[in-house]
Amino acid sequence: GAVVSQHPSRVICKSGTSVKIECRSLDFQATTMFWYRQFPKQSLMLMATSNEGSKATYEQGVEKDKFLINHASLTLSTLTVTSAHPEDSSFYICSASRTGNTEAFFGQGTRLTVV
Amino acid sequence: GENVEQHPSTLSVQEGDSAVIKCTYSDSASNYFPWYKQELGKGPQLIIDIRSNVGEKKDQRIAVTLNKTAKHFSLHITETQPEDSAVYFCAAKGDTGGFKTIFGAGTRLFVKA
């Protein structure tokens, strides 16, 4: 299967600072990438969909100015949590697809803790 | 909107027994149904998938069945092993709606040795 690498796996930051999470498709070109948030013992909640070279499409209730997504190349998408607060602490996961209607492969996830 | 229901939420089986997880979906336009295994602290891993033009697919101890008329699909794990213990998610995806993958709530599988 295809490999998606997400970095960092864990990060602790202070309230008010920004954190960037990277998602890379290592052995394929990803036209579409997805960003999810997962709370403990819950399912994955889609935050936004990004297509290479286009602005991300955010799900209802997700603040686009707080969760900045960039998908500037076919192998890299980034999620920046701006002005982080403790309630932003969560497990963030990306996935990547060659095209929108093909299988998606997930990164390892990033555990964000805001103190 | 689209919805995927998954049952049971928790499943405990004895090593060597079979495990079955069932899902239903609401969007008749869904045509791709992946299953993911998620271990603690890790991202979901695709274990098997099925497309709407197929009724059944098997890969060693794992099989998936799809009933498009009833909008049901199921995961079957035979000869379970302790390392199968994890959370399993079903999902449904179509060619519209931004190609979003809609996930079920997850099933926590415990395989007792």
Side-chain angles (χ1 to χ4, degrees):
Chain A
V3 179
V4 175
S5 178
Q6 190 173 335
H7 179 81
S9 57
R10 290 177 181 270
V11 59
I12 301 173
C13 71
K14 292 184 177 180
S15 288
T17 62
S18 295
V19 173
K20 181 184 284 189
I21 302 169
E22 291 188 349
C23 180
R24 293 181 184 272
S25 55
L26 298 186
D27 52 1
F28 68 101
Q29 293 186 322
T31 304
T32 307
M33 287 190 172
F34 304 87
W35 286 95
Y36 297 86
R37 183 173 180 176
Q38 188 177 33
F39 293 102
K41 298 186 178 181
Q42 292 192 23
S43 190
L44 287 75
M45 182 189 78
L46 180 66
M47 299 174 66
T49 303
S50 73
N51 291 295
E52 185 264 337
S54 303
K55 287 185 178 180
T57 301
Y58 289 81
E59 294 300 301
Q60 193 172 8
V62 178
E63 299 176 58
K64 62 180 181 180
D65 294 329
K66 181 165 184 62
F67 299 99
L68 301 178
I69 292 172
N70 183 283
H71 190 171
S73 79
L74 285 170
T75 59
L76 174 65
S77 177
T78 61
L79 167 67
T80 302
V81 183
T82 62
S83 186
H85 291 286
E87 56 264 32
D88 298 326
S89 298
S90 192
F91 194 54
Y92 293 87
I93 313 172
C94 70
S95 73
S97 297
R98 290 181 177 83
T99 61
N101 63 347
T102 56
E103 56 266 57
F105 299 95
F106 283 81
Q108 308 95 312
T110 297
R111 172 74 57 193
L112 170 63
T113 303
V114 184
V115 297
Chain B
E2 312 93 326
N3 186 46
V4 175
E5 293 193 1
Q6 182 172 349
H7 299 281
S9 56
T10 306
L11 179 59
S12 184
V13 300
Q14 203 68 38
E15 181 178 4
D17 288 350
S18 295
V20 180
I21 302 171
K22 298 182 179 181
C23 290
T24 60
Y25 61 98
S26 60
D27 188 356
S28 56
S30 297
N31 57 12
Y32 174 64
F33 307 92
W35 285 87
Y36 293 93
K37 175 183 181 183
Q38 187 178 28
E39 297 178 335
L40 191 62
K42 297 184 179 180
Q45 178 188 9
L46 179 68
I47 56 171
I48 196 168
D49 56 12
I50 191 168
R51 294 196 177 272
S52 59
N53 57 347
V54 176
E56 184 174 356
K57 184 177 178 180
K58 190 173 182 180
D59 182 3
Q60 298 182 348
R61 296 186 296 109
I62 297 172
V64 58
T65 58
L66 171 66
N67 182 330
K68 214 168 180 320
T69 303
K71 298 182 188 172
H72 291 171
F73 58 115
S74 301
L75 177 71
H76 305 251
I77 306 174
T78 58
E79 300 173 33
T80 53
Q81 301 165 4
E83 50 265 38
D84 294 330
S85 298
V87 179
Y88 291 81
F89 291 98
C90 64
K93 187 174 181 179
D95 292 337
T96 58
F99 303 114
K100 287 189 287 187
T101 300
I102 307 300
F103 285 86
T107 295
R108 192 169 295 273
L109 175 64
F110 297 95
V111 181
K112 296 176 286 187

